[in-house]
Amino acid sequence: MPRMLTLTRHAGDLSCVRAMRTLASGLCAALLLFTATAVQAEDGYALWLRYAAPDAGAAGPSATRVTQLVVAGSPGVPSATREELQRGLAGLQGGAPANGDAVTRAGALLVGTPAASPQIARLGLDLDGLGGEGYRIRSAVVDGHATTVVAANEDIGALYGAFHLLRLLQTGQPLDGLDIREAPRLAVRMLNHWDNLDRYVERGYAGQSIWDWHRLPGWLDPRYTDYARANASIGINGTVLNNVNANADVLTPMYLDKVAAIAGVMRPYGIKVYLSARFSAPMEIGGLDTADPADADVQRWWRTKADEVYALIPDFGGFLVKANSEGQPGPQDYGRSHADGANMLADAVAPHGGIVMWRAFVYSDEEPVDRAKQAYNEFVPLDGTFHDNVLVQVKNGPIDFQPREPFHPLFGGMPKTPLMMEFQITKEYLGFSTHLAYKAPLYEEVLDADTHVQGPGSTVARVIDGSLDGHALTGIAGVANIGSDRNWSGSHFDQANWYAFGRLAWNSDLSSRDIAVEWTRMTFSNDPAVVEPVVGMMMASREAVVDYTGALGLHHVMGRGHHYGPGPWVEGGPRADWTSVYFHRADGNGIGFDRTRRGSDAVSQYAAPVAEVFDDVTRTPEEFLLWFHHVPWSHPMRSGRPLWDELVLRYDRGVETVRGMRETWAGLDGRIDAGRHAQVAAFLAIQQDEAQWWRDASIAYFQSISGRPLPAGVAPPPHPLEHYKALEFPHAPGDTQ
Ligand code: GCV
């Protein structure tokens, strides 16, 4: 990382100003040089692990200093733990503490397991129920010395505890009187990379894939270690390296060597490597003439392939599969079910302790049924037929990662099958990398949604953490927003979505606001004059995107293919269910998809109390109105306005919120390092322009259908509809290849 010598704003500046008055200018210049501090250039590479010394104006920086570091354990995870603590404490305290093998002085930090440390064992801390990944952080007296203890049953728990402790220090929390007990709710907390082997990232807006396949295994980019550190810091313990639209080559010996090299970097950080498996691989790289899961040769091929993978990577996690979806091969090509396909692969990895994550993102345009209903129709009859090491991976909503969707009806619909949540961290539908859209409120809204399947409180979070139906195998996946860009995620604020995903994967009870505060403090500053406005921007941002792209339950109204910008007019083409008009169904009378019992009856896929609400236009929350109902343009809204006026005002509200975010950010000039401030400012300007574009184009289109006048005082779109329809973006990033 480049280093540069800059003058930081701290107490030294002020004393210098005072000194200026009394000292000769030459002397002051010398004093300035003396107080100048070498700081990291702020290019975003360090993510939330900057370990910057507490800044001036920070609220309550920890007064406690760690004087001695004792990490118990041998190479592997404990070495990673020691290195991270040394790095973190050196930055945060302005110097690394002394290393030791045992606590010998006050102010020590003792980290490890009772098995590795007699001093931890003697404390007799209750570690029951924490599993391998949980930990305790306790202020204790060790052999007569005041000590902070991070204790866990296994080394990885101690690493997670170390990161927790560093988070406390980074956010200025005191280290006194600590008594923290943490364990993750979900077993598998993973990223899904939609990265192709040629380094193109599908729906990726942060450069190329970080996996430099061509140079692997000979060249292990140091970035892999930093990726592992960042993920471990938020408790992510798995990564699927390649796109679900998979290339079978990743399973060839040449690529498996490369995968094994990556797995070696991930291992000390508790991260297992997984691969997306192409269902037709036995034909493409195995020389068979079928991939039928009932065929003995096919079964043998997968078993042998699994043996080969595990011989190279003993802790390999397993396979993720997209089958019979959007053109991918699958068991239905042979008249077999999704369960047949999943179970065959599950049997291949089971002897090695592997799992299969089988995606439920399936729909077919040959099927006349509402696309929102198809996954449920396909999978619910299979409930109870999947083998024990299969997780069915379900997107948060029934369509496709829209800015807002109701929760997927499969949550609660398959009690005998462990369901894994799939969120999208990358912002395919929320403005790519240039729009500021903090997605934690979206994740939180879905996790907190009540399925009512076992009465009130049957939240989606409880479905996926297994507590509702007694499943031990549990998981969550986030489609990564990581690429080769220096700042990893394409924008500084998109790092927050990676961070928030991990934090919620660890503990779904955390609030999106608290996570935003934590992230802001670590990423930008502990200064309340920064934290409050930045968190305010973040918390308003997702709703702003909903407003300017289409509020009140509108969905799938973006540009065709690349999904960049507005496209409510999109119709025709290869598939009806890839058009906008299929979803908004606007006509002269009204707008919205009738999914009530009188329409497609998608509402009946939810438990009765939820179905009742969604079926009733007067009880459906307005944010889902047009998702479930086709209503007249004059439909009275709770505001007292007709629907058309409300919709138009929401578009304006979205643009206005972005304008406000931009103003707030401009006010932070001088409080945030210049490089990051400038890029965020430029991106907010892009967002404001594009929000305006979304608003203008959408109003122009829907007005051409509704024929209604704009509400009083609302500005008409500056161009005719044809102007917006004619815009083309042939090289927009992230499109399917
Ligand atoms: C990986 C959407 C995206 C596709 C993606 C697909 C999926 O359709 O646009 O790019 O493919 O979801 O989740 O499989």
Side-chain angles (χ1 to χ4, degrees):
M1 181 175 298
R3 297 179 75 89
M4 61 182 194
L5 197 68
T6 53
L7 296 175
T8 52
R9 286 172 174 250
H10 57 54
D13 294 352
L14 289 177
S15 21
C16 183
V17 171
R18 266 181 244 118
M20 278 269 211
R21 299 200 183 107
T22 52
L23 294 175
S25 59
L27 182 58
C28 185
L31 186 63
L32 261 174
L33 268 178
F34 182 71
T35 56
T37 311
V39 296
Q40 303 281 3
E42 294 279 358
D43 58 10
Y45 182 83
L47 294 160
W48 49 88
L49 301 175
R50 292 162 58 244
Y51 301 134
D55 38 357
S62 172
T64 326
R65 276 186 74 83
V66 174
T67 58
Q68 184 190 22
L69 176 61
V70 180
V71 179
S74 41
V77 178
S79 300
T81 307
R82 185 179 293 105
E83 276 167 31
E84 195 67 34
L85 284 167
Q86 277 169 339
R87 175 201 290 248
L89 292 168
L92 286 158
Q93 299 189 158
N99 261 313
D101 294 330
V103 171
T104 56
R105 63 174 87 163
L109 171 58
L110 170 61
V111 184
T113 62
S117 161
Q119 286 182 311
I120 291 180
R122 278 201 296 278
L123 288 173
L125 293 173
D126 175 14
L127 301 177
D128 285 353
L130 291 178
E133 295 183 311
Y135 54 85
R136 291 193 68 179
I137 306 180
R138 273 291 292 270
S139 301
V141 175
V142 175
D143 292 346
H145 308 292
T147 303
T148 302
V149 179
V150 177
N153 290 314
E154 292 183 19
D155 291 335
I156 185 62
L159 176 64
Y160 289 151
F163 274 117
H164 188 139
L165 189 98
L166 288 168
R167 188 163 64 237
L168 295 179
L169 290 168
Q170 285 174 280
T171 54
Q173 312 300 311
L175 288 193
D176 318 305
L178 294 177
D179 188 3
I180 293 166
R181 193 183 165 88
E182 284 272 340
R185 303 267 173 88
L186 300 169
V188 178
R189 306 175 301 278
M190 61 156 46
L191 294 181
N192 288 181
H193 287 266
W194 285 357
D195 296 15
N196 294 347
L197 300 183
D198 63 1
R199 301 193 74 182
Y200 180 82
V201 183
E202 184 162 338
R203 310 309 178 186
Y205 313 103
Q208 287 190 296
S209 169
I210 58 167
W211 313 124
D212 191 352
W213 293 108
H214 183 67
R215 295 190 181 109
L216 279 161
W219 166 238
L220 288 174
D221 191 328
R223 189 175 261 246
Y224 303 156
T225 307
D226 289 329
Y227 166 92
R229 289 175 50 236
N231 280 316
S233 78
I234 49 177
I236 286 173
N237 65 3
T239 179
V240 181
L241 302 179
N242 61 318
N243 193 352
V244 288
N245 290 331
N247 188 319
D249 289 347
V250 79
L251 293 173
T252 58
M254 181 174 85
Y255 275 92
L256 289 177
D257 276 345
K258 299 169 190 276
V259 173
I262 296 175
V265 180
M266 300 298 131
R267 195 164 292 122
Y269 294 90
I271 298 169
K272 282 188 181 179
V273 159
Y274 299 74
L275 291 175
S276 292
R278 184 161 166 87
F279 200 76
S280 50
M283 298 163 74
E284 290 165 24
I285 58 168
L288 302 187
D289 57 9
T290 178
D292 183 349
D295 184 283
D297 287 340
V298 172
Q299 294 167 0
R300 195 173 311 111
W301 188 87
W302 280 111
R303 279 200 305 272
T304 308
K305 184 52 71 181
D307 294 347
E308 181 189 345
V309 173
Y310 280 94
L312 285 168
I313 312 165
D315 56 353
F316 180 69
F319 294 123
L320 170 65
V321 186
K322 171 176 178 178
N324 294 120
S325 165
E326 298 185 333
Q328 293 301 306
Q332 292 179 332
D333 301 347
Y334 308 95
R336 317 289 175 199
S337 73
H338 284 284
D340 295 332
N343 291 340
M344 182 223 10
L345 283 173
D347 290 350
V349 294
H352 308 282
I355 62 169
V356 166
M357 295 152 296
W358 194 268
R359 295 177 89 225
F361 179 65
V362 297
Y363 61 98
S364 162
D365 64 326
E366 283 151 25
E367 180 70 55
V369 173
D370 174 5
R371 173 173 156 183
K373 292 178 65 178
Q374 293 185 26
Y376 181 100
N377 289 348
E378 190 83 58
F379 276 80
V380 167
L382 302 175
D383 191 23
T385 65
F386 290 94
H387 290 179
D388 288 348
N389 57 335
V390 177
L391 280 154
V392 171
Q393 184 167 312
V394 183
K395 288 189 181 181
N396 59 272
I399 296 298
D400 191 15
F401 300 136
Q402 297 301 293
R404 171 167 278 126
E405 296 195 31
F407 69 87
H408 201 301
L410 275 173
F411 295 114
M414 295 183 69
K416 295 186 210 130
T417 308
L419 299 188
M420 183 167 177
M421 170 65 74
E422 180 176 321
F423 283 129
Q424 198 176 46
I425 307 174
T426 189
K427 302 205 315 295
E428 178 180 356
Y429 301 103
L430 287 95
F432 295 9
S433 62
T434 44
H435 294 208
L436 198 170
Y438 174 54
K439 293 185 84 177
L442 185 163
Y443 305 150
E444 189 178 38
E445 183 176 295
V446 175
L447 293 166
D448 290 350
D450 198 343
T451 69
H452 281 270
V453 283
Q454 292 182 32
S458 310
T459 59
V460 170
R462 292 195 57 215
V463 173
I464 63 166
D465 73 15
S467 61
L468 207 60
D469 304 302
H471 297 299
L473 180 57
T474 56
I476 188 166
V479 179
N481 64 350
I482 297 162
S484 59
D485 276 9
R486 182 73 192 158
N487 66 20
W488 298 87
S489 300
S491 84
H492 297 294
F493 273 94
D494 279 332
Q495 298 176 354
N497 292 327
W498 176 8
Y499 181 83
F501 168 77
R503 297 288 287 130
L504 283 167
W506 180 274
N507 179 2
S508 59
D509 282 347
L510 293 176
S511 86
S512 52
R513 175 175 291 277
D514 288 350
I515 297 171
V517 170
E518 227 173 67
W519 177 82
T520 303
R521 281 171 165 262
M522 292 192 285
T523 304
F524 288 119
S525 167
N526 276 302
D527 185 345
V530 172
V531 177
E532 281 162 33
V534 168
V535 170
M537 289 167 60
M538 291 168 78
M539 292 306 292
S541 60
R542 180 270 189 138
E543 205 59 40
V545 176
V546 170
D547 280 345
Y548 64 70
T549 60
L552 305 174
L554 280 178
H555 52 289
H556 206 292
V557 284
M558 65 290 163
R560 194 200 293 274
H562 48 60
H563 298 171
Y564 173 62
W569 47 81
V570 169
E571 61 183 338
R575 300 177 60 143
D577 55 4
W578 283 353
T579 67
S580 303
V581 296
Y582 172 91
F583 291 98
H584 64 63
R585 306 200 168 203
D587 57 27
N589 298 320
I591 180 170
F593 198 134
D594 184 358
R595 295 191 165 112
T596 67
R597 292 179 180 133
R598 296 148 310 278
S600 80
D601 199 22
V603 294
S604 295
Q605 294 184 335
Y606 293 94
V610 179
E612 294 304 324
V613 170
F614 289 158
D615 193 53
D616 182 345
V617 73
T618 65
R619 294 173 67 201
T620 300
E622 282 188 344
E623 65 259 32
F624 295 129
L625 181 68
L626 305 179
W627 188 286
F628 289 112
H629 300 272
H630 186 83
V631 291
W633 295 106
S634 59
H635 177 80
M637 302 296 287
R638 273 167 211 141
S639 62
R641 289 186 278 268
L643 167 70
W644 166 248
D645 289 18
E646 185 71 31
L647 190 61
V648 170
L649 293 175
R650 295 292 179 106
Y651 283 119
D652 273 338
R653 188 174 79 174
V655 178
E656 183 53 26
T657 306
V658 177
R659 198 196 54 72
M661 282 158 50
R662 205 177 154 194
E663 208 172 274
T664 303
W665 187 256
L668 292 172
D669 192 11
R671 291 187 184 274
I672 310 260
D673 50 284
R676 289 189 299 171
H677 188 273
Q679 195 192 56
V680 172
F683 281 16
L684 283 167
I686 294 172
Q687 184 174 11
Q688 191 181 346
D689 284 350
E690 294 189 353
Q692 188 71 47
W693 165 39
W694 266 96
R695 176 259 183 217
D696 293 338
S698 305
I699 290 179
Y701 171 74
F702 286 122
Q703 192 175 29
S704 78
I705 309 274
S706 77
R708 294 176 74 95
L710 294 175
V714 168
H719 302 287
L721 174 59
E722 290 316 310
H723 163 87
Y724 302 106
K725 289 172 79 168
L727 298 174
E728 284 186 25
F729 306 96
H731 305 295
D735 202 355
T736 49
Q737 270 187 326

